[in-house]
Amino acid sequence: MNRITILSALTMAAVMVKAQTITTDHEVIDLGNIVYETPSTATFELRNTGNSPLVLNEVHTSCGCTKAQFPRQPIAPGETFTITATYDAQQLGHFMKDIALYSNASDKPFYLSIRGAVVDEVVDFSGTYPFMLGDISSDLNDVEFDDVNRGERPMQKIHVKNTSTRAVNPTVMHLPDYLSATVSPTTIQPGREGVVTLILDSRQLRDYGLTQTSVFLGMFPGDKVALNKEISVSAVLLPAFKELTDTELANSPQLRISHENIDIDFRGKKKRTETIALENVGRTTLDISSLQMFTTGLKVKLNKDRLAPGEKATLKITADAALLRTSRSRPRVIMITNDPLKPKVIININVK
């Protein structure tokens, strides 16, 4: 076989592989809370991204409680189509059902899923939505994972409400590898509520102490990142001291701190500085491994980060009035130490 024949064969194979291809932005649709004995329907939007007509031969659901409808006619290249799946809510509790699409695109089915929870009645969130994230309002725009131990997977919920005049499909963008997110329901109709859940994988955090990032709540997949959609996320990973013996605890370092709350009254000044006294009253060396600020507008200066037994140190905290006014989070300083009884110290800055 000559070179031209080989290239032609490879080209034909590539074309055949991409002849019909199914793609979708949502392979899983969360219906949220649905009322008992009230059927609920999910609509999947898909596209034939191949270069020849797509034919759906069969669509199977994982149980008789779910009915699916699909187009019977060939779907042209580049054309979009919909699959609807209706769940008959005859049983209370959480559910997840699969829909398998059999087509000429592959020998294997293409899977879609619906999930949600069947409840006696839908109870709306009783709190307020003071923040705006794009087209929806929320009860939070700043999420904190405090006192996390390695291996834990804590979660935080943000309640949202669609205050626009169109349905939205919220998606959390720019997630770092230690965060994941879900939105329920997947589509939030105008005037309706939903929940964004952020899950922290503490195994992916590299360092003890404070890790901060920003994620963004888009109104649909592929939405643009903008400051008015920003959610600040912070996590505090603590050192592990669970397996220390009584003897090790008795001989451990021990931090004594003069005060953990600072009241700052600028009194017309641009900056103010306060001093905190630290002392190691334990039996071994105290290490201050991390000293970080939750917000802009603060500066810290520690004259020593290793204290022998009986040794003292001073921590100076300088606050900037102009920068603190623009801060989203509460102004605080976090200190991480090897004192097993006080591995984390939070110094709160109360601005008057």
Side-chain angles (χ1 to χ4, degrees):
M1 185 180 295
N2 60 37
R3 182 172 179 273
I4 294 177
T5 304
I6 293 174
L7 289 174
S8 298
L10 291 174
T11 301
M12 290 180 62
V15 170
M16 291 177 63
V17 169
K18 296 183 179 181
Q20 309 90 11
T21 306
I22 301 173
T23 59
T24 181
D25 287 331
H26 294 288
E27 294 182 13
V28 179
I29 288 182
D30 191 318
L31 293 170
N33 291 334
I34 60 177
V35 178
Y36 178 61
E37 294 186 334
T38 303
S40 187
T41 299
T43 300
F44 294 88
E45 291 193 0
L46 305 98
R47 180 185 295 271
N48 176 11
T49 52
N51 51 30
S52 64
L54 170 72
V55 177
L56 297 178
N57 301 316
E58 296 178 75
V59 173
H60 292 170
T61 60
S62 56
C63 74
C65 57
T66 306
K67 304 296 183 184
Q69 293 185 332
F70 62 97
R72 306 284 177 167
Q73 70 278 10
I75 299 149
E79 187 177 342
T80 59
F81 62 100
T82 60
I83 302 288
T84 61
T86 300
Y87 177 69
D88 188 6
Q90 295 295 322
Q91 191 170 7
L92 292 172
H94 292 272
F95 65 89
M96 185 160 185
K97 304 298 178 182
D98 292 329
I99 303 100
L101 279 58
Y102 293 86
S103 71
N104 61 341
S106 173
D107 294 333
K108 297 180 180 180
F110 183 90
Y111 283 100
L112 303 170
S113 298
I114 58 172
R115 66 185 181 196
V118 180
V119 296
D120 284 323
E121 61 177 335
V122 176
V123 179
D124 289 339
F125 176 59
S126 59
T128 60
Y129 301 91
F131 306 104
M132 287 301 299
L133 299 172
D135 291 336
I136 64 178
S137 56
S138 72
D139 66 329
L140 289 174
N141 66 354
D142 182 38
V143 175
E144 299 177 359
F145 293 94
D146 281 337
D147 296 349
V148 179
N149 294 297
R150 183 78 71 186
E152 293 178 343
R153 289 179 58 88
M155 62 177 61
Q156 294 277 11
K157 295 183 181 295
I158 303 173
H159 295 90
V160 297
K161 184 175 184 178
N162 183 3
T163 55
S164 72
T165 58
R166 60 188 178 93
V168 295
N169 298 101
T171 180
V172 183
M173 305 178 294
H174 282 211
L175 286 163
D177 56 2
Y178 57 84
L179 285 177
S180 58
T182 62
V183 180
S184 177
T186 301
T187 300
I188 304 178
Q189 299 295 332
R192 303 300 298 174
E193 301 175 333
V195 177
V196 177
T197 303
L198 294 176
I199 305 101
L200 171 69
D201 184 355
S202 62
R203 296 169 301 177
Q204 299 296 326
L205 293 174
R206 292 182 296 176
D207 301 315
Y208 292 120
L210 178 65
T211 300
Q212 293 178 298
T213 191
S214 289
V215 298
F216 300 85
L217 188 65
M219 300 302 104
F220 51 86
D223 195 6
K224 293 182 179 179
V225 169
L227 287 178
N228 68 333
K229 304 170 188 175
E230 180 183 13
I231 302 170
S232 301
V233 183
S234 62
V236 177
L237 182 66
L238 299 182
F241 296 108
K242 294 182 179 179
E243 298 181 2
L244 292 182
T245 64
D246 291 341
T247 300
E248 288 172 327
L249 283 173
N251 290 293
S252 63
Q254 185 177 345
L255 172 66
R256 177 184 291 168
I257 183 168
S258 60
H259 49 291
E260 299 179 25
N261 291 280
I262 295 177
D263 295 324
I264 293 182
D265 188 347
F266 287 100
R267 298 180 183 177
K269 293 186 177 181
K270 294 182 178 180
K271 297 182 180 180
R272 298 285 293 187
T273 299
E274 297 288 338
T275 301
I276 294 176
L278 309 175
E279 183 181 1
N280 179 10
V281 295
R283 296 182 177 179
T284 53
T285 300
L286 175 72
D287 290 321
I288 300 173
S289 58
S290 178
L291 192 61
Q292 299 164 286
M293 290 74 68
F294 277 85
T295 61
T296 59
L298 296 176
K299 290 184 179 180
V300 295
K301 185 176 181 180
L302 181 66
N303 66 334
K304 59 181 71 175
D305 56 15
R306 287 178 61 85
L307 281 69
E311 195 170 7
K312 298 179 180 180
T314 56
L315 170 64
K316 292 184 177 182
I317 300 176
T318 300
D320 185 305
L323 292 176
L324 282 178
R325 279 196 293 268
T326 64
S327 174
R328 175 180 292 184
S329 303
R330 292 178 289 127
R332 290 163 293 164
V333 173
I334 180 173
M335 183 188 305
I336 300 296
T337 80
N338 64 336
D339 176 354
L341 300 181
K342 196 172 284 190
K344 181 193 77 170
V345 176
I346 295 290
I347 301 170
N348 296 292
I349 316 297
N350 305 310
V351 180
K352 296 182 178 180

